[in-house]
Amino acid sequence: MTGMKPFKTLLPRAEALRIIEGNIGRVGRIEEVSIEGASGRVLAEDVTAGFSVPPFNRASMDGYAVRAEDTFGASGFNPNRLKMIGVQHAGEFFEGIVGKGECVQVATGSPVPEGSDAVVMVEFTKLDGDYVEIQKPAYPGANISPVGEDIKTGDTVIEEGEMLTPAKVGALAALNRETIRVYEKPRVAVFSTGSEIKPLGSDLSPSQIYDVNSYTLASIISANGCEPVIKGIVPDDRESIEASILDAASHDLGVFSGGSSVGVRDLFGEVVEELGEVLFHGLQVKPGKPTLFGIVEGTPIFGMPGYPTSCLSNAYIFLTPALRAMAGLSPAEPRRVAARMSARFVSSSGREQFLTVRVRDGVAFPAFKKSGAITSMAHADGYIILPVNLDVIEEGAEVEVTLFS
Amino acid sequence: MTGMKPFKTLLPRAEALRIIEGNIGRVGRIEEVSIEGASGRVLAEDVTAGFSVPPFNRASMDGYAVRAEDTFGASGFNPNRLKMIGVQHAGEFFEGIVGKGECVQVATGSPVPEGSDAVVMVEFTKLDGDYVEIQKPAYPGANISPVGEDIKTGDTVIEEGEMLTPAKVGALAALNRETIRVYEKPRVAVFSTGSEIKPLGSDLSPSQIYDVNSYTLASIISANGCEPVIKGIVPDDRESIEASILDAASHDLGVFSGGSSVGVRDLFGEVVEELGEVLFHGLQVKPGKPTLFGIVEGTPIFGMPGYPTSCLSNAYIFLTPALRAMAGLSPAEPRRVAARMSARFVSSSGREQFLTVRVRDGVAFPAFKKSGAITSMAHADGYIILPVNLDVIEEGAEVEVTLFS
């Protein structure tokens, strides 16, 4: 009859997050990946330019490479006529030198021939046999990207620890980096406990339900830069719980859900304490009171509530920051929208409450009929946070909804 | 000397987006995937419940299952004493019936035994030998999730066309769905054109640069629910361009970048017109004027600017909506922040301008020194849109920055 004890002290959310943050480190293992699939990964090296980009003075417009002084005073009514001495195709190299009164046709991206110091856009020119009418003056340097304008040899272009974006992947390509060293995705072991929980595909007896939490947790883990390893369901006995906690400790993080059946909740906490250290057990939040966080053999271990919506809700709030910190990603920046409450809501939990809502036309509707149904959660848009000391939100009151995605 | 023609008419952004939207359809091919990796995918079937969840009346708290009327009038000072006739472990099935004056110990998630109609939380009880002191009354139904509360047999739980979230994956697991039918990711062929562009790993002559756009485009394509197929660099001749456009047409979408070298830009448009139809060529936006959109053999074809930052910038604005529509994803909801301009900015392009900026402490700094350098873009946070008719933003003026991610 042990295990029926209520929690002694409940930790506020901010304190729990501080404890998590203080005990999570970035995973340092490194792998080399192709830049083709590297967007979203975290760089494990400083990327330094081995050459300048552009590697030559480059035309940034289609037009004519000229000596700028030859264009001074030109206008549509009084164009300056320059002799076209050749064509500079992109990807080729024009050998001649642009002299006084001369020009060379250039295309966007092509080198600017020697002797010229400006490009006049084709829009302000007119071709007339071997001559080009220049209808607008250009200043020296006009429409030219000088060598090294983008990247100079030796520049550190992207630094260790930065997350690769499409533009950063582009910078890697510009520097001829086909592969790149990134941090490995942290491996997160996921276990479900509770003897009423059965694996998908099995037959259920009338008191059993299917494992939901392994799949919601794996989705959250993947979405935050980590690699989930679904380990299945742990039998409700000390030996099995011990073995699975030790198995979890061989990963970068272990996440257990459930253990809500009589005795198991405390048994789990006891075993974590025995093998390592429990840093908190019991949170002043609703849903999600029974959340546990500890360290075993240097590996952080989460014990999440067994109720699927409580488990998922707490995963968004407490697990996500841990996952992102391990992966080296910056904290998720939540999107928030203002809304008005659809109806009066009364809470008297004495805990900070996360109220899951749907938002329609600026109105927030509580998503749950009664207890935490996973289907209601499936169509919720986000949540409202009710402080510990707030018991009532009136109908029509303005609330801030944090969106799930 | 063809191909040096300026664009005749420039299409405004909104009109271009309308044309794209009107010519993009969702890809209808279906595949079956494990729910383990299904988050983010788009459902290709209605998911209907084959059984109710919970499949039994379930305790939602640890405590004692009772007949509610046996608790009426109970208090801490005057507890009601009930005889405990057994323990209902989660995952097992208690065979007895709770009679008048009796109770059964239950755990969160376990079935509620026959005869009982309420659960009293363990916090409001005291065990005393074979008896339990009930210190607080419970109403009928208290702390019980009735059968089918979450999902009823025959309910459509998730509908075709919905994107799977962690919670929806959880609902699938609750219904014992190990695999699920989703729409295939659209396959998008990516080509670079321009004879100055060379594949990564090759040696460059002094007028050549590496292919950047294939990699930035592939990153954008992956991030928006599609599958990039990098096809490499297309030689600058009519036959090669024709062959690659026909190759593109055998995918769900084709994206070409470049073709900025003399003649190629118009050659590309000519070939699209010859093989199919050009829907627009030339946009009233800066950067990104030379963007083309057409249809060949039923497949939408994009021709993006060759300049890496123009290409990427236009991919965010014009390609992303097309990718998401094909994948069946709802439009990306951009995050926007208010900022103040770091310095006066003058634009006189006569086009709508996308000004790439870094945001630091609420101040927006234009990201580019001069032309569109990919490294500057790599460290930009987002962009400001300057309308066609706005030429100047004053220092300190409030601007709205659309963030890249």
Side-chain angles (χ1 to χ4, degrees):
Chain A
M1 293 313 297
T2 58
M4 294 284 281
K5 300 192 294 284
F7 291 102
K8 286 191 189 84
T9 55
L10 298 179
L11 208 62
R13 171 172 53 123
E15 224 167 295
L17 286 170
R18 251 195 311 278
I19 291 173
I20 293 168
E21 194 194 340
N23 286 278
I24 291 277
R26 195 168 72 183
V27 167
R29 294 187 308 275
I30 289 169
E31 62 181 332
E32 185 137 3
V33 298
S34 158
I35 65 163
E36 216 175 304
S39 200
R41 301 298 298 269
V42 177
L43 209 57
E45 56 172 305
D46 287 339
V47 175
T48 303
F51 53 91
S52 291
V53 178
F56 45 82
N57 293 332
R58 181 168 59 177
S60 60
M61 289 287 166
D62 289 351
Y64 296 90
V66 299
R67 297 161 68 121
E69 58 187 31
D70 286 350
T71 68
F72 295 169
S75 72
F77 297 109
N78 267 315
N80 292 7
R81 281 173 69 84
L82 300 180
K83 182 159 200 242
M84 192 176 88
I85 60 166
V87 176
Q88 168 66 77
H89 293 291
E92 292 173 15
F93 206 76
F94 180 79
E95 299 290 347
I97 296 174
V98 177
K100 194 166 167 47
E102 296 176 342
C103 69
V104 166
Q105 191 191 342
V106 294
T108 306
S110 71
V112 173
E114 217 178 310
S116 67
D117 63 354
V119 170
V120 180
M121 286 170 69
V122 66
E123 280 84 347
F124 304 114
T125 65
K126 190 178 159 200
L127 188 64
D128 177 14
D130 282 351
Y131 282 80
V132 178
E133 287 188 357
I134 303 293
Q135 299 161 346
K136 198 180 167 184
Y139 52 85
N143 301 316
I144 293 176
S145 300
V147 53
E149 183 193 53
D150 191 349
I151 305 171
K152 284 187 182 54
T153 307
D155 279 358
T156 295
V157 176
I158 323 177
E159 284 177 37
E160 183 276 334
E162 291 187 44
M163 191 195 78
L164 292 173
T165 58
K168 287 176 190 173
V169 168
L172 292 174
L175 292 172
N176 192 28
R177 291 295 306 261
E178 292 179 86
T179 62
I180 191 74
R181 286 157 63 82
V182 297
Y183 289 105
E184 275 187 21
K185 293 188 179 185
R187 297 181 73 240
V188 181
V190 180
F191 299 83
S192 280
T193 70
S195 46
E196 77 279 23
I197 309 295
K198 293 294 154 193
L200 301 199
S202 53
D203 291 328
L204 293 192
S205 79
S207 63
Q208 301 174 330
I209 55 172
Y210 288 109
D211 179 18
V212 167
N213 295 336
S214 290
Y215 299 94
T216 51
L217 289 170
S219 302
I220 294 276
I221 291 163
S222 302
N224 289 285
C226 300
E227 197 73 45
V229 185
I230 293 185
K231 290 284 185 173
I233 295 154
V234 184
D236 269 2
D237 60 77
R238 182 175 282 267
E239 293 66 39
S240 304
I241 291 173
E242 220 172 83
S244 58
I245 291 173
L246 290 172
D247 182 5
S250 73
H251 296 74
D252 296 309
L253 183 73
V255 185
F256 291 76
S257 72
S260 57
S261 48
V262 180
V264 173
R265 190 181 69 197
D266 289 306
L267 184 53
F268 181 76
E270 273 169 41
V271 176
V272 172
E273 190 65 60
E274 196 180 283
L275 299 173
E277 190 185 356
V278 171
L279 296 177
F280 64 74
H281 190 188
L283 294 180
Q284 200 179 6
V285 300
K286 180 181 180 177
K289 187 163 64 172
T291 299
L292 175 149
F293 181 70
I295 303 279
V296 173
E297 298 185 350
T299 297
I301 304 285
F302 275 91
M304 308 297 285
Y307 238 58
T309 50
S310 308
C311 177
L312 179 53
S313 172
N314 270 27
Y316 276 115
I317 294 156
F318 297 101
L319 180 59
T320 296
L323 296 168
R324 299 185 71 86
M326 297 191 91
L329 298 172
S330 55
E333 282 188 48
R335 283 193 304 128
R336 297 200 174 92
V337 294
R340 300 205 164 270
M341 263 321 256
S342 66
R344 194 166 194 259
F345 179 83
V346 179
S347 158
S348 55
S349 63
R351 292 180 269 155
E352 184 179 41
Q353 183 160 0
F354 292 84
L355 177 65
T356 307
V357 295
R358 302 186 73 163
V359 182
R360 292 294 174 272
D361 300 324
V363 179
F365 299 85
F368 296 135
K369 304 154 228 170
K370 197 178 161 197
S371 65
I374 188 72
T375 47
S376 309
M377 181 107 175
H379 292 103
D381 299 306
Y383 58 85
I384 296 167
I385 301 177
L386 282 72
V388 176
N389 55 1
L390 181 76
D391 280 359
V392 176
I393 311 181
E394 295 297 340
E395 180 182 336
E398 185 164 312
V399 290
E400 187 181 61
V401 180
T402 303
L403 300 176
F404 280 131
S405 60
Chain B
M1 293 315 297
T2 58
M4 293 286 279
K5 300 190 296 281
F7 293 103
K8 286 191 190 84
T9 56
L10 297 179
L11 207 64
R13 172 171 55 123
E15 224 167 294
L17 286 170
R18 253 196 310 279
I19 290 173
I20 292 168
E21 195 194 341
N23 286 278
I24 290 278
R26 196 169 70 184
V27 167
R29 294 186 309 274
I30 288 170
E31 63 179 331
E32 186 137 2
V33 298
S34 158
I35 66 163
E36 216 176 305
S39 200
R41 301 299 296 270
V42 177
L43 210 56
E45 56 172 306
D46 287 340
V47 175
T48 303
F51 54 88
S52 291
V53 178
F56 46 82
N57 293 331
R58 181 168 59 177
S60 61
M61 289 288 168
D62 289 352
Y64 296 90
V66 298
R67 297 161 67 120
E69 57 188 33
D70 285 350
T71 68
F72 295 168
S75 74
F77 296 109
N78 265 315
N80 292 7
R81 280 172 69 85
L82 300 180
K83 181 158 202 244
M84 192 175 87
I85 61 167
V87 176
Q88 168 67 76
H89 292 291
E92 293 173 15
F93 206 77
F94 180 78
E95 299 289 348
I97 296 175
V98 177
K100 193 165 166 47
E102 295 176 342
C103 69
V104 166
Q105 191 191 343
V106 294
T108 306
S110 72
V112 174
E114 218 178 310
S116 67
D117 63 355
V119 169
V120 179
M121 286 170 70
V122 65
E123 281 84 345
F124 305 114
T125 66
K126 189 177 162 198
L127 188 64
D128 178 14
D130 283 350
Y131 283 82
V132 179
E133 286 188 359
I134 304 292
Q135 299 162 346
K136 198 180 168 184
Y139 53 85
N143 301 317
I144 293 177
S145 301
V147 52
E149 183 193 52
D150 191 348
I151 304 172
K152 285 189 182 54
T153 307
D155 279 358
T156 296
V157 176
I158 323 176
E159 286 177 37
E160 182 276 335
E162 290 186 44
M163 191 195 79
L164 292 173
T165 58
K168 288 176 190 173
V169 167
L172 292 174
L175 293 172
N176 193 28
R177 293 293 308 261
E178 291 179 89
T179 62
I180 191 76
R181 286 156 64 80
V182 296
Y183 289 105
E184 273 187 21
K185 294 188 180 184
R187 297 181 73 240
V188 180
V190 179
F191 299 83
S192 280
T193 69
S195 47
E196 76 278 23
I197 309 295
K198 294 294 156 192
L200 302 199
S202 54
D203 289 328
L204 295 191
S205 78
S207 63
Q208 300 173 332
I209 55 171
Y210 287 109
D211 179 17
V212 168
N213 295 336
S214 291
Y215 300 94
T216 52
L217 288 170
S219 302
I220 294 276
I221 291 164
S222 302
N224 288 284
C226 300
E227 197 73 44
V229 185
I230 293 184
K231 290 283 185 173
I233 294 155
V234 184
D236 269 0
D237 60 78
R238 181 175 282 268
E239 293 65 43
S240 304
I241 291 174
E242 220 173 84
S244 59
I245 290 175
L246 289 172
D247 182 6
S250 73
H251 296 75
D252 296 309
L253 183 74
V255 185
F256 291 76
S257 72
S260 58
S261 48
V262 180
V264 173
R265 190 180 68 197
D266 290 305
L267 183 55
F268 181 76
E270 274 169 42
V271 176
V272 172
E273 191 65 59
E274 195 180 282
L275 299 173
E277 190 185 356
V278 171
L279 296 177
F280 65 73
H281 190 188
L283 294 179
Q284 200 177 9
V285 300
K286 181 182 179 177
K289 187 163 64 170
T291 299
L292 175 149
F293 181 69
I295 304 279
V296 172
E297 298 185 350
T299 297
I301 304 286
F302 275 92
M304 308 298 284
Y307 239 60
T309 50
S310 308
C311 177
L312 179 54
S313 174
N314 270 26
Y316 276 115
I317 294 155
F318 297 100
L319 180 60
T320 296
L323 296 167
R324 299 185 72 86
M326 297 192 91
L329 298 171
S330 55
E333 282 188 48
R335 284 194 303 126
R336 296 199 174 92
V337 294
R340 302 204 164 270
M341 266 315 259
S342 66
R344 193 167 195 258
F345 180 82
V346 179
S347 157
S348 55
S349 64
R351 292 180 269 155
E352 185 179 42
Q353 182 159 0
F354 293 83
L355 178 64
T356 307
V357 296
R358 302 187 74 165
V359 182
R360 292 293 175 274
D361 299 323
V363 180
F365 298 86
F368 297 134
K369 304 154 226 170
K370 200 180 160 194
S371 65
I374 189 73
T375 46
S376 308
M377 180 108 176
H379 291 103
D381 298 306
Y383 57 86
I384 296 166
I385 302 178
L386 282 72
V388 176
N389 55 1
L390 181 75
D391 281 358
V392 176
I393 310 181
E394 296 296 342
E395 180 182 335
E398 185 165 310
V399 289
E400 188 181 62
V401 180
T402 303
L403 301 177
F404 281 130
S405 61

